[in-house]
Amino acid sequence: MTRWRKEYAAMAAIAITFSCLVAGCSSGDSPEQNAAAQDRFFVAVSSGDTQRVLDLMHPELRKQIDEPLLADWMKQVNASLGKYEGMSWSDWNTKWEVKNGVKRNLAEGTFNFARGDAQAEFVFVDDQLVSFHVDSDKIPKDWFHGPSDAAIYQQRGAEFLRHLYTGEFDKIDQKVRDAFGTPVLENAAAEIKEQLGKVQKIEPDAQQWSDENGGRLSNCYRVEGDREVDGVHRFLYAQVDFGFSGLQGMPTGFKNGADAEIELPPEQAGQYEPREQAVLAAWQSSDAAKFATLMEPSLRDRLDDAVAAAWLKGVAANHGEFQALKSVARKSIYRDGRKLIESTLTCEHEQGDVDLRLEFKEVFPEHVTGFFIPVEHLKGWPEKLEVSGYQERGKAFLEKLLAGQLEESTTLMGPAFRAAAPVEKLAAIKQQIDEKLGTVETIEAGMPEVQDGETLQLVVPFQLKFEKGPTTGQVAFVYTGAAFVLNGFNVNFAD
């Protein structure tokens, strides 16, 4: 999957400079006109109305400013400095200069506010603002922690992906094209076409800000193509990251088939809470049967009740009884181009905290599709395993096999064993047993033994009585992470 990132400089604390060069302009502004323009700027900032500030700017400068970021900046200025009180005429300078054929008015000075002063520099062309720089020690240097209104970046990210996937690279901002490079864009477009066919839908999904590496806004999207698998259109999740320089955000990285972890918005979290509470109740009461019934059917089929019960007993032995739920953290997990919801329940026990992690498919909040208990919390759990069920399963397998019910016996075998010992092979083994021992008369299970080697196994010994005499045998179960599955057997031939 394509991963590409180009980091932009982080937004400066409050010393922010914008500039544009406008060919063919001239100005006859007087110092007094300059002073009035600067005064209008801070009056507009104090109003909290972004449009009043934007109206003072040259169109080229406005192109470099995102209105939501301007609103955040104005809000911070007003919160830190208070009401604007006017210019300090004793500390004010203005001059004209010609640069690249353009006559510009430059002005700088100190501006007074209720809570302190700010130093500012301005450049005007034809009474329009083309550059400004404002600084004050009253404003925190790390004030910016992401846009308060990030909707436009989700929209811009979707537009970027649409132009990318349709090969319309000329519609992507030139600065972004230069940052990524045309070969990277071409490879990404070809990759998505190979996987999904023609892209039909790009739907916004999660969005998250991170302060790391100077700040980054990550936007995730569900991308659907026209290629079908089993009658269903293929899709994956893509991600576009935005970095911020000045008062503008630009794409700095993107991924096809995003792998990411994003905090689940509170408005989406509620639908998972009923199932979390049900799991927590089973956890609190150490009710393994109830715990298992809360799982999605395919997961339920892969889970032994005895294993779940031993886990719960192991946690209680290592950490004491459940006391309270300390916290719940929910995330959207993007992995291999797919999405799941992860809830981590931090449970307070008598002797420490235990994290129980649950997984949900987004469209099935009523079922748990995966769960994880850190292995350090389960120390010694095999010693607490109730083994009678494995004795019964082992005996049932031998009864069907020795009775010649070979197809039925394979249904009790694990997948790996079933692949290694098809019916034809079982038939040959059955024939050998019949020739050596005759018909089986009784099968008695002994006490299973847990063997912890390269793999964790449970071996059930058997006493068998055949027509030609008694012998022994065993059935082995191998641990698969949630269950013990039947993985082998033997019957000892009489000498």
Side-chain angles (χ1 to χ4, degrees), residues 398 402 433 437 442-444 460-466 469-475 489-495:
L398 290 176
L402 298 176
I433 293 174
L437 301 173
T442 62
I443 302 174
E444 295 183 4
V460 184
F462 285 89
Q463 295 290 331
L464 302 106
K465 185 178 180 182
F466 284 85
T471 188
T472 60
Q474 62 182 23
V475 175
F489 79 100
N490 68 40
V491 175
N492 297 317
F493 298 147
D495 294 334

Side-chain angles (χ1 to χ4, degrees), residues 84-254:
Y84 174 59
E85 296 181 343
M87 297 177 59
S88 175
W89 289 93
S90 62
D91 181 21
W92 182 71
N93 295 291
T94 184
K95 65 179 181 178
W96 293 335
E97 71 173 14
V98 177
K99 189 173 183 180
N100 295 339
V102 179
K103 189 174 183 180
R104 303 165 9 131
N105 288 338
L106 287 72
E108 62 181 6
T110 299
F111 298 83
N112 307 128
F113 295 80
R115 297 181 186 141
D117 296 337
Q119 287 69 49
E121 300 173 2
F122 298 88
V123 179
F124 296 91
V125 170
D126 283 342
D127 202 29
Q128 290 184 311
L129 186 62
V130 298
S131 170
F132 68 94
H133 175 106
V134 180
D135 195 9
S136 173
D137 59 7
K138 300 296 182 181
I139 299 177
K141 300 302 180 184
D142 60 348
W143 69 272
F144 184 70
H145 295 284
S148 58
D149 181 359
I152 67 168
Y153 302 108
Q154 201 159 49
Q155 295 167 7
R156 288 181 186 175
E159 289 173 4
F160 168 79
L161 292 178
R162 273 192 290 273
H163 298 326
L164 173 68
Y165 296 153
T166 57
E168 299 174 294
F169 303 147
D170 59 325
K171 294 184 178 180
I172 298 174
D173 187 280
Q174 184 66 53
K175 290 182 288 186
V176 177
R177 274 186 282 160
D178 292 343
F180 291 143
T182 300
V184 169
L185 299 177
E186 290 176 342
N187 290 339
E191 179 184 75
I192 210 77
K193 184 176 181 180
E194 180 181 350
Q195 294 196 40
L196 302 183
K198 183 179 179 180
V199 171
Q200 294 183 317
K201 294 180 183 178
I202 300 174
E203 298 177 343
D205 194 68
Q207 189 176 50
Q208 179 167 281
W209 170 262
S210 171
D211 281 324
E212 295 181 1
N213 300 319
R216 181 178 71 251
L217 181 68
S218 297
N219 302 275
C220 285
Y221 304 86
R222 188 182 190 274
V223 181
E224 184 178 303
D226 64 358
R227 183 168 296 164
E228 293 187 357
V229 177
D230 297 329
V232 178
H233 287 165
R234 292 204 64 196
F235 74 93
L236 54 71
Y237 283 87
Q239 179 176 323
V240 180
D241 294 335
F242 279 75
F244 295 85
S245 178
L247 291 180
Q248 190 172 51
M250 300 289 285
T252 58
F254 67 92

Side-chain angles (χ1 to χ4, degrees), residues 310-475:
W311 287 343
L312 295 176
K313 291 176 182 176
V315 170
N318 291 318
H319 296 278
E321 296 300 318
F322 174 88
Q323 300 292 299
L325 175 64
K326 289 187 69 174
S327 63
V328 181
R330 302 177 182 93
K331 297 178 181 177
S332 295
I333 306 294
Y334 299 88
R335 187 179 299 140
D336 300 324
R338 292 297 180 263
K339 178 182 178 182
L340 57 88
I341 305 300
E342 179 185 278
S343 294
T344 299
L345 309 181
T346 299
C347 302
E348 181 182 353
H349 285 249
E350 291 175 321
Q351 299 169 31
D353 295 342
V354 178
D355 287 337
L356 173 62
R357 195 167 84 238
L358 309 177
E359 287 184 356
F360 302 86
K361 290 181 181 177
E362 186 179 25
V363 294
F364 295 119
E366 69 275 14
H367 289 303
V368 177
T369 57
F371 67 93
F372 304 88
I373 306 170
V375 66
E376 62 267 22
H377 301 316
L378 300 175
K379 184 178 179 181
W381 72 266
E383 301 169 5
K384 306 180 186 311
L385 192 66
E386 172 54 55
V387 297
S388 61
Y390 303 103
Q391 292 172 312
E392 294 169 4
R393 284 162 58 184
K395 183 177 180 181
F397 168 76
L398 290 176
E399 286 175 341
K400 292 182 183 300
L401 174 70
L402 298 176
Q405 299 172 358
L406 303 182
E407 289 284 356
E408 292 86 342
S409 69
T410 61
T411 64
L412 301 175
M413 298 161 57
F417 186 27
R418 198 158 46 240
V423 170
E424 297 78 13
K425 188 170 183 177
L426 292 178
I429 295 172
K430 169 67 164 59
Q431 184 177 353
Q432 285 184 302
I433 293 174
D434 289 346
E435 291 173 355
K436 292 284 188 178
L437 301 173
T439 304
V440 68
E441 296 177 352
T442 62
I443 302 174
E444 295 183 4
M447 181 56 64
E449 178 186 358
V450 176
Q451 299 178 355
D452 192 0
E454 291 185 7
T455 59
L456 186 64
Q457 293 192 85
L458 181 72
V459 179
V460 184
F462 285 89
Q463 295 290 331
L464 302 106
K465 185 178 180 182
F466 284 85
E467 181 184 3
K468 296 181 181 180
T471 188
T472 60
Q474 62 182 23
V475 175

